[in-house]
Amino acid sequence: MVVTSQQSLSTFGKRVRWGFLGLASAPIIGAYFYNQGYQIPFLGCPVLHLTGIPCPTCGMTRSFMAIARGNLPQAIRYHLLGPAVFAIFLVITAHLILELLQNRRIQTFYSSLLGKRSVQLMALLIALSYHTYRLYLLSHSGELYQSMVRSPLGHLLFSQSSIF
């Protein structure tokens, strides 16, 4: 069900929507340009770089790029939740564009769902469970330890020279 407000958006409401539109569309636009060969040098996971441990979103950029190329199986291999998150960004982007074009707030079934604490907690639990599973697989294969040892933090913690 879609309900459009009778009241026009305030100036502040428009600014907020433009800000969120920029945030929601950036990964979609970025995936397109990354596939065209444009690269942003600092765009890497600082957690992975410093600790050798992948963060919960590691692989999401590659997943988005695979989606932008139309390769859904590869996107899922990079990050299982990538296609769902990409779809959410698309829906939010379209929703905000419609609100700005109509100059009215649009209330939908998913708007009320996103505000529910139980839905938010469920999404967090799914994301953390998947991340834990990925860390388990990396740990079991030995890749996690090797990555940690090669990281800057690993050099500090696992160096052969003794401080004492």
mmCIF file with all atom_site columns, all heavy atoms in Angstrom, residues 1-7 9 17 94-112:
data_model
loop_
_atom_site.group_PDB
_atom_site.id
_atom_site.type_symbol
_atom_site.label_atom_id
_atom_site.label_alt_id
_atom_site.label_comp_id
_atom_site.label_asym_id
_atom_site.label_entity_id
_atom_site.label_seq_id
_atom_site.pdbx_PDB_ins_code
_atom_site.Cartn_x
_atom_site.Cartn_y
_atom_site.Cartn_z
_atom_site.occupancy
_atom_site.B_iso_or_equiv
_atom_site.pdbx_formal_charge
_atom_site.auth_seq_id
_atom_site.auth_comp_id
_atom_site.auth_asym_id
_atom_site.auth_atom_id
_atom_site.pdbx_PDB_model_num
ATOM 1   N N   . MET A 1 1   ? 0.838  -1.180 0.000   1.00 0.00 ? 1   MET A N   1
ATOM 2   C CA  . MET A 1 1   ? 0.000  0.000  0.000   1.00 0.00 ? 1   MET A CA  1
ATOM 3   C C   . MET A 1 1   ? 0.884  1.245  0.000   1.00 0.00 ? 1   MET A C   1
ATOM 4   O O   . MET A 1 1   ? 1.851  1.328  0.749   1.00 0.00 ? 1   MET A O   1
ATOM 5   C CB  . MET A 1 1   ? -0.878 -0.012 1.249   1.00 0.00 ? 1   MET A CB  1
ATOM 6   C CG  . MET A 1 1   ? -1.825 1.141  1.289   1.00 0.00 ? 1   MET A CG  1
ATOM 7   S SD  . MET A 1 1   ? -3.091 0.938  2.533   1.00 0.00 ? 1   MET A SD  1
ATOM 8   C CE  . MET A 1 1   ? -2.407 1.896  3.836   1.00 0.00 ? 1   MET A CE  1
ATOM 9   N N   . VAL A 1 2   ? 0.541  2.199  -0.858  1.00 0.00 ? 2   VAL A N   1
ATOM 10  C CA  . VAL A 1 2   ? 1.296  3.437  -0.983  1.00 0.00 ? 2   VAL A CA  1
ATOM 11  C C   . VAL A 1 2   ? 0.362  4.601  -0.663  1.00 0.00 ? 2   VAL A C   1
ATOM 12  O O   . VAL A 1 2   ? -0.709 4.718  -1.245  1.00 0.00 ? 2   VAL A O   1
ATOM 13  C CB  . VAL A 1 2   ? 1.873  3.605  -2.405  1.00 0.00 ? 2   VAL A CB  1
ATOM 14  C CG1 . VAL A 1 2   ? 2.583  4.928  -2.553  1.00 0.00 ? 2   VAL A CG1 1
ATOM 15  C CG2 . VAL A 1 2   ? 2.783  2.446  -2.746  1.00 0.00 ? 2   VAL A CG2 1
ATOM 16  N N   . VAL A 1 3   ? 0.796  5.444  0.272   1.00 0.00 ? 3   VAL A N   1
ATOM 17  C CA  . VAL A 1 3   ? 0.017  6.615  0.661   1.00 0.00 ? 3   VAL A CA  1
ATOM 18  C C   . VAL A 1 3   ? 0.892  7.851  0.484   1.00 0.00 ? 3   VAL A C   1
ATOM 19  O O   . VAL A 1 3   ? 2.010  7.903  0.994   1.00 0.00 ? 3   VAL A O   1
ATOM 20  C CB  . VAL A 1 3   ? -0.453 6.511  2.139   1.00 0.00 ? 3   VAL A CB  1
ATOM 21  C CG1 . VAL A 1 3   ? -1.214 7.752  2.535   1.00 0.00 ? 3   VAL A CG1 1
ATOM 22  C CG2 . VAL A 1 3   ? -1.279 5.259  2.347   1.00 0.00 ? 3   VAL A CG2 1
ATOM 23  N N   . THR A 1 4   ? 0.366  8.829  -0.258  1.00 0.00 ? 4   THR A N   1
ATOM 24  C CA  . THR A 1 4   ? 1.095  10.078 -0.475  1.00 0.00 ? 4   THR A CA  1
ATOM 25  C C   . THR A 1 4   ? 0.522  11.145 0.437   1.00 0.00 ? 4   THR A C   1
ATOM 26  O O   . THR A 1 4   ? -0.686 11.333 0.516   1.00 0.00 ? 4   THR A O   1
ATOM 27  C CB  . THR A 1 4   ? 0.959  10.530 -1.940  1.00 0.00 ? 4   THR A CB  1
ATOM 28  O OG1 . THR A 1 4   ? 1.392  9.468  -2.786  1.00 0.00 ? 4   THR A OG1 1
ATOM 29  C CG2 . THR A 1 4   ? 1.796  11.754 -2.216  1.00 0.00 ? 4   THR A CG2 1
ATOM 30  N N   . SER A 1 5   ? 1.407  11.854 1.120   1.00 0.00 ? 5   SER A N   1
ATOM 31  C CA  . SER A 1 5   ? 1.005  12.922 2.030   1.00 0.00 ? 5   SER A CA  1
ATOM 32  C C   . SER A 1 5   ? 0.405  14.083 1.246   1.00 0.00 ? 5   SER A C   1
ATOM 33  O O   . SER A 1 5   ? 0.785  14.341 0.103   1.00 0.00 ? 5   SER A O   1
ATOM 34  C CB  . SER A 1 5   ? 2.232  13.396 2.814   1.00 0.00 ? 5   SER A CB  1
ATOM 35  O OG  . SER A 1 5   ? 1.935  14.562 3.537   1.00 0.00 ? 5   SER A OG  1
ATOM 36  N N   . GLN A 1 6   ? -0.516 14.782 1.865   1.00 0.00 ? 6   GLN A N   1
ATOM 37  C CA  . GLN A 1 6   ? -1.119 15.955 1.230   1.00 0.00 ? 6   GLN A CA  1
ATOM 38  C C   . GLN A 1 6   ? -0.238 17.191 1.398   1.00 0.00 ? 6   GLN A C   1
ATOM 39  O O   . GLN A 1 6   ? -0.352 18.142 0.647   1.00 0.00 ? 6   GLN A O   1
ATOM 40  C CB  . GLN A 1 6   ? -2.512 16.222 1.827   1.00 0.00 ? 6   GLN A CB  1
ATOM 41  C CG  . GLN A 1 6   ? -3.508 15.105 1.566   1.00 0.00 ? 6   GLN A CG  1
ATOM 42  C CD  . GLN A 1 6   ? -3.703 14.844 0.085   1.00 0.00 ? 6   GLN A CD  1
ATOM 43  O OE1 . GLN A 1 6   ? -3.808 15.769 -0.716  1.00 0.00 ? 6   GLN A OE1 1
ATOM 44  N NE2 . GLN A 1 6   ? -3.729 13.579 -0.293  1.00 0.00 ? 6   GLN A NE2 1
ATOM 45  N N   . GLN A 1 7   ? 0.624  17.155 2.409   1.00 0.00 ? 7   GLN A N   1
ATOM 46  C CA  . GLN A 1 7   ? 1.495  18.285 2.709   1.00 0.00 ? 7   GLN A CA  1
ATOM 47  C C   . GLN A 1 7   ? 2.763  18.242 1.869   1.00 0.00 ? 7   GLN A C   1
ATOM 48  O O   . GLN A 1 7   ? 3.342  17.173 1.662   1.00 0.00 ? 7   GLN A O   1
ATOM 49  C CB  . GLN A 1 7   ? 1.897  18.235 4.185   1.00 0.00 ? 7   GLN A CB  1
ATOM 50  C CG  . GLN A 1 7   ? 1.580  19.483 4.927   1.00 0.00 ? 7   GLN A CG  1
ATOM 51  C CD  . GLN A 1 7   ? 1.951  19.326 6.403   1.00 0.00 ? 7   GLN A CD  1
ATOM 52  O OE1 . GLN A 1 7   ? 2.226  18.237 6.887   1.00 0.00 ? 7   GLN A OE1 1
ATOM 53  N NE2 . GLN A 1 7   ? 1.935  20.431 7.089   1.00 0.00 ? 7   GLN A NE2 1
ATOM 54  N N   . LEU A 1 9   ? 6.729  18.824 1.022   1.00 0.00 ? 9   LEU A N   1
ATOM 55  C CA  . LEU A 1 9   ? 7.944  18.661 1.813   1.00 0.00 ? 9   LEU A CA  1
ATOM 56  C C   . LEU A 1 9   ? 8.490  20.024 2.223   1.00 0.00 ? 9   LEU A C   1
ATOM 57  O O   . LEU A 1 9   ? 8.477  20.968 1.435   1.00 0.00 ? 9   LEU A O   1
ATOM 58  C CB  . LEU A 1 9   ? 9.014  17.926 1.010   1.00 0.00 ? 9   LEU A CB  1
ATOM 59  C CG  . LEU A 1 9   ? 8.747  16.475 0.650   1.00 0.00 ? 9   LEU A CG  1
ATOM 60  C CD1 . LEU A 1 9   ? 9.850  15.970 -0.286  1.00 0.00 ? 9   LEU A CD1 1
ATOM 61  C CD2 . LEU A 1 9   ? 8.697  15.627 1.901   1.00 0.00 ? 9   LEU A CD2 1
ATOM 62  N N   . ARG A 1 17  ? 16.351 14.561 2.222   1.00 0.00 ? 17  ARG A N   1
ATOM 63  C CA  . ARG A 1 17  ? 16.158 13.583 1.159   1.00 0.00 ? 17  ARG A CA  1
ATOM 64  C C   . ARG A 1 17  ? 17.283 13.643 0.120   1.00 0.00 ? 17  ARG A C   1
ATOM 65  O O   . ARG A 1 17  ? 17.734 12.612 -0.373  1.00 0.00 ? 17  ARG A O   1
ATOM 66  C CB  . ARG A 1 17  ? 14.792 13.756 0.515   1.00 0.00 ? 17  ARG A CB  1
ATOM 67  C CG  . ARG A 1 17  ? 13.693 13.140 1.367   1.00 0.00 ? 17  ARG A CG  1
ATOM 68  C CD  . ARG A 1 17  ? 12.311 13.676 1.035   1.00 0.00 ? 17  ARG A CD  1
ATOM 69  N NE  . ARG A 1 17  ? 11.297 13.063 1.851   1.00 0.00 ? 17  ARG A NE  1
ATOM 70  C CZ  . ARG A 1 17  ? 11.050 13.379 3.128   1.00 0.00 ? 17  ARG A CZ  1
ATOM 71  N NH1 . ARG A 1 17  ? 11.794 14.300 3.735   1.00 0.00 ? 17  ARG A NH1 1
ATOM 72  N NH2 . ARG A 1 17  ? 10.086 12.792 3.803   1.00 0.00 ? 17  ARG A NH2 1
ATOM 73  N N   . ALA A 1 94  ? 15.051 4.999  -5.672  1.00 0.00 ? 94  ALA A N   1
ATOM 74  C CA  . ALA A 1 94  ? 13.808 5.255  -6.424  1.00 0.00 ? 94  ALA A CA  1
ATOM 75  C C   . ALA A 1 94  ? 12.778 5.954  -5.548  1.00 0.00 ? 94  ALA A C   1
ATOM 76  O O   . ALA A 1 94  ? 12.104 6.902  -5.992  1.00 0.00 ? 94  ALA A O   1
ATOM 77  C CB  . ALA A 1 94  ? 13.248 3.940  -6.964  1.00 0.00 ? 94  ALA A CB  1
ATOM 78  N N   . HIS A 1 95  ? 12.641 5.515  -4.304  1.00 0.00 ? 95  HIS A N   1
ATOM 79  C CA  . HIS A 1 95  ? 11.680 6.101  -3.375  1.00 0.00 ? 95  HIS A CA  1
ATOM 80  C C   . HIS A 1 95  ? 11.988 7.590  -3.153  1.00 0.00 ? 95  HIS A C   1
ATOM 81  O O   . HIS A 1 95  ? 11.086 8.433  -3.225  1.00 0.00 ? 95  HIS A O   1
ATOM 82  C CB  . HIS A 1 95  ? 11.722 5.346  -2.046  1.00 0.00 ? 95  HIS A CB  1
ATOM 83  C CG  . HIS A 1 95  ? 10.730 5.825  -1.048  1.00 0.00 ? 95  HIS A CG  1
ATOM 84  N ND1 . HIS A 1 95  ? 9.583  5.128  -0.771  1.00 0.00 ? 95  HIS A ND1 1
ATOM 85  C CD2 . HIS A 1 95  ? 10.695 6.925  -0.259  1.00 0.00 ? 95  HIS A CD2 1
ATOM 86  C CE1 . HIS A 1 95  ? 8.894  5.789  0.141   1.00 0.00 ? 95  HIS A CE1 1
ATOM 87  N NE2 . HIS A 1 95  ? 9.555  6.874  0.471   1.00 0.00 ? 95  HIS A NE2 1
ATOM 88  N N   . LEU A 1 96  ? 13.253 7.913  -2.900  1.00 0.00 ? 96  LEU A N   1
ATOM 89  C CA  . LEU A 1 96  ? 13.626 9.304  -2.647  1.00 0.00 ? 96  LEU A CA  1
ATOM 90  C C   . LEU A 1 96  ? 13.448 10.167 -3.890  1.00 0.00 ? 96  LEU A C   1
ATOM 91  O O   . LEU A 1 96  ? 13.011 11.320 -3.792  1.00 0.00 ? 96  LEU A O   1
ATOM 92  C CB  . LEU A 1 96  ? 15.073 9.372  -2.149  1.00 0.00 ? 96  LEU A CB  1
ATOM 93  C CG  . LEU A 1 96  ? 15.292 8.807  -0.749  1.00 0.00 ? 96  LEU A CG  1
ATOM 94  C CD1 . LEU A 1 96  ? 16.782 8.667  -0.452  1.00 0.00 ? 96  LEU A CD1 1
ATOM 95  C CD2 . LEU A 1 96  ? 14.613 9.669  0.298   1.00 0.00 ? 96  LEU A CD2 1
ATOM 96  N N   . ILE A 1 97  ? 13.763 9.626  -5.049  1.00 0.00 ? 97  ILE A N   1
ATOM 97  C CA  . ILE A 1 97  ? 13.559 10.382 -6.292  1.00 0.00 ? 97  ILE A CA  1
ATOM 98  C C   . ILE A 1 97  ? 12.076 10.693 -6.474  1.00 0.00 ? 97  ILE A C   1
ATOM 99  O O   . ILE A 1 97  ? 11.703 11.824 -6.820  1.00 0.00 ? 97  ILE A O   1
ATOM 100 C CB  . ILE A 1 97  ? 14.134 9.620  -7.507  1.00 0.00 ? 97  ILE A CB  1
ATOM 101 C CG1 . ILE A 1 97  ? 15.662 9.641  -7.463  1.00 0.00 ? 97  ILE A CG1 1
ATOM 102 C CG2 . ILE A 1 97  ? 13.618 10.200 -8.822  1.00 0.00 ? 97  ILE A CG2 1
ATOM 103 C CD1 . ILE A 1 97  ? 16.333 8.737  -8.483  1.00 0.00 ? 97  ILE A CD1 1
ATOM 104 N N   . LEU A 1 98  ? 11.217 9.707  -6.243  1.00 0.00 ? 98  LEU A N   1
ATOM 105 C CA  . LEU A 1 98  ? 9.766  9.941  -6.364  1.00 0.00 ? 98  LEU A CA  1
ATOM 106 C C   . LEU A 1 98  ? 9.275  10.992 -5.363  1.00 0.00 ? 98  LEU A C   1
ATOM 107 O O   . LEU A 1 98  ? 8.461  11.850 -5.712  1.00 0.00 ? 98  LEU A O   1
ATOM 108 C CB  . LEU A 1 98  ? 8.991  8.639  -6.179  1.00 0.00 ? 98  LEU A CB  1
ATOM 109 C CG  . LEU A 1 98  ? 9.071  7.651  -7.329  1.00 0.00 ? 98  LEU A CG  1
ATOM 110 C CD1 . LEU A 1 98  ? 8.390  6.334  -6.961  1.00 0.00 ? 98  LEU A CD1 1
ATOM 111 C CD2 . LEU A 1 98  ? 8.429  8.249  -8.577  1.00 0.00 ? 98  LEU A CD2 1
ATOM 112 N N   . GLU A 1 99  ? 9.772  10.920 -4.132  1.00 0.00 ? 99  GLU A N   1
ATOM 113 C CA  . GLU A 1 99  ? 9.363  11.922 -3.143  1.00 0.00 ? 99  GLU A CA  1
ATOM 114 C C   . GLU A 1 99  ? 9.809  13.321 -3.561  1.00 0.00 ? 99  GLU A C   1
ATOM 115 O O   . GLU A 1 99  ? 9.031  14.276 -3.443  1.00 0.00 ? 99  GLU A O   1
ATOM 116 C CB  . GLU A 1 99  ? 9.951  11.592 -1.762  1.00 0.00 ? 99  GLU A CB  1
ATOM 117 C CG  . GLU A 1 99  ? 9.223  10.501 -1.043  1.00 0.00 ? 99  GLU A CG  1
ATOM 118 C CD  . GLU A 1 99  ? 9.647  10.352 0.399   1.00 0.00 ? 99  GLU A CD  1
ATOM 119 O OE1 . GLU A 1 99  ? 10.707 10.879 0.819   1.00 0.00 ? 99  GLU A OE1 1
ATOM 120 O OE2 . GLU A 1 99  ? 8.895  9.685  1.138   1.00 0.00 ? 99  GLU A OE2 1
ATOM 121 N N   . LEU A 1 100 ? 11.029 13.438 -4.066  1.00 0.00 ? 100 LEU A N   1
ATOM 122 C CA  . LEU A 1 100 ? 11.511 14.754 -4.487  1.00 0.00 ? 100 LEU A CA  1
ATOM 123 C C   . LEU A 1 100 ? 10.772 15.260 -5.732  1.00 0.00 ? 100 LEU A C   1
ATOM 124 O O   . LEU A 1 100 ? 10.480 16.454 -5.827  1.00 0.00 ? 100 LEU A O   1
ATOM 125 C CB  . LEU A 1 100 ? 13.019 14.705 -4.740  1.00 0.00 ? 100 LEU A CB  1
ATOM 126 C CG  . LEU A 1 100 ? 13.872 14.613 -3.470  1.00 0.00 ? 100 LEU A CG  1
ATOM 127 C CD1 . LEU A 1 100 ? 15.299 14.206 -3.796  1.00 0.00 ? 100 LEU A CD1 1
ATOM 128 C CD2 . LEU A 1 100 ? 13.840 15.934 -2.709  1.00 0.00 ? 100 LEU A CD2 1
ATOM 129 N N   . LEU A 1 101 ? 10.453 14.367 -6.657  1.00 0.00 ? 101 LEU A N   1
ATOM 130 C CA  . LEU A 1 101 ? 9.713  14.785 -7.857  1.00 0.00 ? 101 LEU A CA  1
ATOM 131 C C   . LEU A 1 101 ? 8.289  15.217 -7.527  1.00 0.00 ? 101 LEU A C   1
ATOM 132 O O   . LEU A 1 101 ? 7.771  16.182 -8.099  1.00 0.00 ? 101 LEU A O   1
ATOM 133 C CB  . LEU A 1 101 ? 9.689  13.653 -8.887  1.00 0.00 ? 101 LEU A CB  1
ATOM 134 C CG  . LEU A 1 101 ? 10.996 13.376 -9.621  1.00 0.00 ? 101 LEU A CG  1
ATOM 135 C CD1 . LEU A 1 101 ? 10.871 12.150 -10.509 1.00 0.00 ? 101 LEU A CD1 1
ATOM 136 C CD2 . LEU A 1 101 ? 11.425 14.595 -10.435 1.00 0.00 ? 101 LEU A CD2 1
ATOM 137 N N   . GLN A 1 102 ? 7.654  14.488 -6.604  1.00 0.00 ? 102 GLN A N   1
ATOM 138 C CA  . GLN A 1 102 ? 6.276  14.811 -6.228  1.00 0.00 ? 102 GLN A CA  1
ATOM 139 C C   . GLN A 1 102 ? 6.197  15.889 -5.153  1.00 0.00 ? 102 GLN A C   1
ATOM 140 O O   . GLN A 1 102 ? 5.124  16.418 -4.893  1.00 0.00 ? 102 GLN A O   1
ATOM 141 C CB  . GLN A 1 102 ? 5.553  13.563 -5.742  1.00 0.00 ? 102 GLN A CB  1
ATOM 142 C CG  . GLN A 1 102 ? 5.309  12.560 -6.823  1.00 0.00 ? 102 GLN A CG  1
ATOM 143 C CD  . GLN A 1 102 ? 4.488  11.377 -6.328  1.00 0.00 ? 102 GLN A CD  1
ATOM 144 O OE1 . GLN A 1 102 ? 4.075  11.308 -5.175  1.00 0.00 ? 102 GLN A OE1 1
ATOM 145 N NE2 . GLN A 1 102 ? 4.251  10.442 -7.215  1.00 0.00 ? 102 GLN A NE2 1
ATOM 146 N N   . ASN A 1 103 ? 7.336  16.155 -4.506  1.00 0.00 ? 103 ASN A N   1
ATOM 147 C CA  . ASN A 1 103 ? 7.397  17.112 -3.401  1.00 0.00 ? 103 ASN A CA  1
ATOM 148 C C   . ASN A 1 103 ? 6.454  16.721 -2.263  1.00 0.00 ? 103 ASN A C   1
ATOM 149 O O   . ASN A 1 103 ? 5.868  17.543 -1.594  1.00 0.00 ? 103 ASN A O   1
ATOM 150 C CB  . ASN A 1 103 ? 7.098  18.533 -3.887  1.00 0.00 ? 103 ASN A CB  1
ATOM 151 C CG  . ASN A 1 103 ? 7.520  19.574 -2.885  1.00 0.00 ? 103 ASN A CG  1
ATOM 152 O OD1 . ASN A 1 103 ? 8.460  19.381 -2.124  1.00 0.00 ? 103 ASN A OD1 1
ATOM 153 N ND2 . ASN A 1 103 ? 6.799  20.692 -2.866  1.00 0.00 ? 103 ASN A ND2 1
ATOM 154 N N   . ARG A 1 104 ? 6.305  15.422 -2.077  1.00 0.00 ? 104 ARG A N   1
ATOM 155 C CA  . ARG A 1 104 ? 5.427  14.875 -1.040  1.00 0.00 ? 104 ARG A CA  1
ATOM 156 C C   . ARG A 1 104 ? 6.088  13.656 -0.404  1.00 0.00 ? 104 ARG A C   1
ATOM 157 O O   . ARG A 1 104 ? 6.828  12.924 -1.069  1.00 0.00 ? 104 ARG A O   1
ATOM 158 C CB  . ARG A 1 104 ? 4.090  14.418 -1.620  1.00 0.00 ? 104 ARG A CB  1
ATOM 159 C CG  . ARG A 1 104 ? 3.371  15.458 -2.430  1.00 0.00 ? 104 ARG A CG  1
ATOM 160 C CD  . ARG A 1 104 ? 2.123  15.906 -1.710  1.00 0.00 ? 104 ARG A CD  1
ATOM 161 N NE  . ARG A 1 104 ? 1.328  16.810 -2.506  1.00 0.00 ? 104 ARG A NE  1
ATOM 162 C CZ  . ARG A 1 104 ? 1.437  18.130 -2.458  1.00 0.00 ? 104 ARG A CZ  1
ATOM 163 N NH1 . ARG A 1 104 ? 2.320  18.692 -1.691  1.00 0.00 ? 104 ARG A NH1 1
ATOM 164 N NH2 . ARG A 1 104 ? 0.663  18.886 -3.191  1.00 0.00 ? 104 ARG A NH2 1
ATOM 165 N N   . ARG A 1 105 ? 5.752  13.432 0.854   1.00 0.00 ? 105 ARG A N   1
ATOM 166 C CA  . ARG A 1 105 ? 6.225  12.232 1.543   1.00 0.00 ? 105 ARG A CA  1
ATOM 167 C C   . ARG A 1 105 ? 5.398  11.043 1.072   1.00 0.00 ? 105 ARG A C   1
ATOM 168 O O   . ARG A 1 105 ? 4.175  11.123 0.954   1.00 0.00 ? 105 ARG A O   1
ATOM 169 C CB  . ARG A 1 105 ? 6.082  12.413 3.045   1.00 0.00 ? 105 ARG A CB  1
ATOM 170 C CG  . ARG A 1 105 ? 6.592  11.244 3.822   1.00 0.00 ? 105 ARG A CG  1
ATOM 171 C CD  . ARG A 1 105 ? 6.366  11.436 5.299   1.00 0.00 ? 105 ARG A CD  1
ATOM 172 N NE  . ARG A 1 105 ? 6.746  10.217 5.965   1.00 0.00 ? 105 ARG A NE  1
ATOM 173 C CZ  . ARG A 1 105 ? 7.593  10.148 6.948   1.00 0.00 ? 105 ARG A CZ  1
ATOM 174 N NH1 . ARG A 1 105 ? 8.122  11.243 7.437   1.00 0.00 ? 105 ARG A NH1 1
ATOM 175 N NH2 . ARG A 1 105 ? 7.901  9.000  7.484   1.00 0.00 ? 105 ARG A NH2 1
ATOM 176 N N   . ILE A 1 106 ? 6.059  9.919  0.796   1.00 0.00 ? 106 ILE A N   1
ATOM 177 C CA  . ILE A 1 106 ? 5.379  8.708  0.357   1.00 0.00 ? 106 ILE A CA  1
ATOM 178 C C   . ILE A 1 106 ? 5.540  7.664  1.448   1.00 0.00 ? 106 ILE A C   1
ATOM 179 O O   . ILE A 1 106 ? 6.655  7.333  1.847   1.00 0.00 ? 106 ILE A O   1
ATOM 180 C CB  . ILE A 1 106 ? 5.967  8.184  -0.972  1.00 0.00 ? 106 ILE A CB  1
ATOM 181 C CG1 . ILE A 1 106 ? 5.786  9.227  -2.079  1.00 0.00 ? 106 ILE A CG1 1
ATOM 182 C CG2 . ILE A 1 106 ? 5.320  6.865  -1.357  1.00 0.00 ? 106 ILE A CG2 1
ATOM 183 C CD1 . ILE A 1 106 ? 6.509  8.885  -3.362  1.00 0.00 ? 106 ILE A CD1 1
ATOM 184 N N   . GLN A 1 107 ? 4.440  7.134  1.936   1.00 0.00 ? 107 GLN A N   1
ATOM 185 C CA  . GLN A 1 107 ? 4.448  6.093  2.964   1.00 0.00 ? 107 GLN A CA  1
ATOM 186 C C   . GLN A 1 107 ? 4.114  4.762  2.293   1.00 0.00 ? 107 GLN A C   1
ATOM 187 O O   . GLN A 1 107 ? 3.107  4.638  1.605   1.00 0.00 ? 107 GLN A O   1
ATOM 188 C CB  . GLN A 1 107 ? 3.403  6.420  4.047   1.00 0.00 ? 107 GLN A CB  1
ATOM 189 C CG  . GLN A 1 107 ? 3.434  5.539  5.249   1.00 0.00 ? 107 GLN A CG  1
ATOM 190 C CD  . GLN A 1 107 ? 4.679  5.743  6.101   1.00 0.00 ? 107 GLN A CD  1
ATOM 191 O OE1 . GLN A 1 107 ? 5.275  6.797  6.099   1.00 0.00 ? 107 GLN A OE1 1
ATOM 192 N NE2 . GLN A 1 107 ? 5.068  4.712  6.808   1.00 0.00 ? 107 GLN A NE2 1
ATOM 193 N N   . THR A 1 108 ? 4.996  3.776  2.486   1.00 0.00 ? 108 THR A N   1
ATOM 194 C CA  . THR A 1 108 ? 4.806  2.456  1.889   1.00 0.00 ? 108 THR A CA  1
ATOM 195 C C   . THR A 1 108 ? 4.880  1.387  2.973   1.00 0.00 ? 108 THR A C   1
ATOM 196 O O   . THR A 1 108 ? 5.217  1.677  4.118   1.00 0.00 ? 108 THR A O   1
ATOM 197 C CB  . THR A 1 108 ? 5.894  2.171  0.838   1.00 0.00 ? 108 THR A CB  1
ATOM 198 O OG1 . THR A 1 108 ? 7.159  2.190  1.483   1.00 0.00 ? 108 THR A OG1 1
ATOM 199 C CG2 . THR A 1 108 ? 5.868  3.190  -0.287  1.00 0.00 ? 108 THR A CG2 1
ATOM 200 N N   . PHE A 1 109 ? 4.605  0.152  2.596   1.00 0.00 ? 109 PHE A N   1
ATOM 201 C CA  . PHE A 1 109 ? 4.661  -0.943 3.560   1.00 0.00 ? 109 PHE A CA  1
ATOM 202 C C   . PHE A 1 109 ? 6.072  -1.127 4.103   1.00 0.00 ? 109 PHE A C   1
ATOM 203 O O   . PHE A 1 109 ? 6.266  -1.445 5.259   1.00 0.00 ? 109 PHE A O   1
ATOM 204 C CB  . PHE A 1 109 ? 4.159  -2.250 2.932   1.00 0.00 ? 109 PHE A CB  1
ATOM 205 C CG  . PHE A 1 109 ? 5.110  -2.842 1.936   1.00 0.00 ? 109 PHE A CG  1
ATOM 206 C CD1 . PHE A 1 109 ? 6.053  -3.780 2.342   1.00 0.00 ? 109 PHE A CD1 1
ATOM 207 C CD2 . PHE A 1 109 ? 5.087  -2.466 0.607   1.00 0.00 ? 109 PHE A CD2 1
ATOM 208 C CE1 . PHE A 1 109 ? 6.936  -4.330 1.435   1.00 0.00 ? 109 PHE A CE1 1
ATOM 209 C CE2 . PHE A 1 109 ? 5.969  -3.007 -0.304  1.00 0.00 ? 109 PHE A CE2 1
ATOM 210 C CZ  . PHE A 1 109 ? 6.895  -3.945 0.105   1.00 0.00 ? 109 PHE A CZ  1
ATOM 211 N N   . TYR A 1 110 ? 7.080  -0.925 3.259   1.00 0.00 ? 110 TYR A N   1
ATOM 212 C CA  . TYR A 1 110 ? 8.446  -1.116 3.726   1.00 0.00 ? 110 TYR A CA  1
ATOM 213 C C   . TYR A 1 110 ? 8.927  0.041  4.602   1.00 0.00 ? 110 TYR A C   1
ATOM 214 O O   . TYR A 1 110 ? 9.841  -0.130 5.405   1.00 0.00 ? 110 TYR A O   1
ATOM 215 C CB  . TYR A 1 110 ? 9.428  -1.371 2.581   1.00 0.00 ? 110 TYR A CB  1
ATOM 216 C CG  . TYR A 1 110 ? 9.451  -0.316 1.500   1.00 0.00 ? 110 TYR A CG  1
ATOM 217 C CD1 . TYR A 1 110 ? 10.195 0.842  1.644   1.00 0.00 ? 110 TYR A CD1 1
ATOM 218 C CD2 . TYR A 1 110 ? 8.745  -0.500 0.322   1.00 0.00 ? 110 TYR A CD2 1
ATOM 219 C CE1 . TYR A 1 110 ? 10.220 1.796  0.654   1.00 0.00 ? 110 TYR A CE1 1
ATOM 220 C CE2 . TYR A 1 110 ? 8.772  0.443  -0.683  1.00 0.00 ? 110 TYR A CE2 1
ATOM 221 C CZ  . TYR A 1 110 ? 9.511  1.595  -0.513  1.00 0.00 ? 110 TYR A CZ  1
ATOM 222 O OH  . TYR A 1 110 ? 9.538  2.533  -1.496  1.00 0.00 ? 110 TYR A OH  1
ATOM 223 N N   . SER A 1 111 ? 8.310  1.217  4.472   1.00 0.00 ? 111 SER A N   1
ATOM 224 C CA  . SER A 1 111 ? 8.669  2.344  5.337   1.00 0.00 ? 111 SER A CA  1
ATOM 225 C C   . SER A 1 111 ? 8.392  2.017  6.794   1.00 0.00 ? 111 SER A C   1
ATOM 226 O O   . SER A 1 111 ? 9.216  2.287  7.665   1.00 0.00 ? 111 SER A O   1
ATOM 227 C CB  . SER A 1 111 ? 7.885  3.603  4.950   1.00 0.00 ? 111 SER A CB  1
ATOM 228 O OG  . SER A 1 111 ? 8.124  3.958  3.622   1.00 0.00 ? 111 SER A OG  1
ATOM 229 N N   . SER A 1 112 ? 7.235  1.419  7.050   1.00 0.00 ? 112 SER A N   1
ATOM 230 C CA  . SER A 1 112 ? 6.891  1.077  8.431   1.00 0.00 ? 112 SER A CA  1
ATOM 231 C C   . SER A 1 112 ? 7.714  -0.116 8.924   1.00 0.00 ? 112 SER A C   1
ATOM 232 O O   . SER A 1 112 ? 8.043  -0.208 10.106  1.00 0.00 ? 112 SER A O   1
ATOM 233 C CB  . SER A 1 112 ? 5.397  0.792  8.556   1.00 0.00 ? 112 SER A CB  1
ATOM 234 O OG  . SER A 1 112 ? 5.021  -0.261 7.697   1.00 0.00 ? 112 SER A OG  1
#
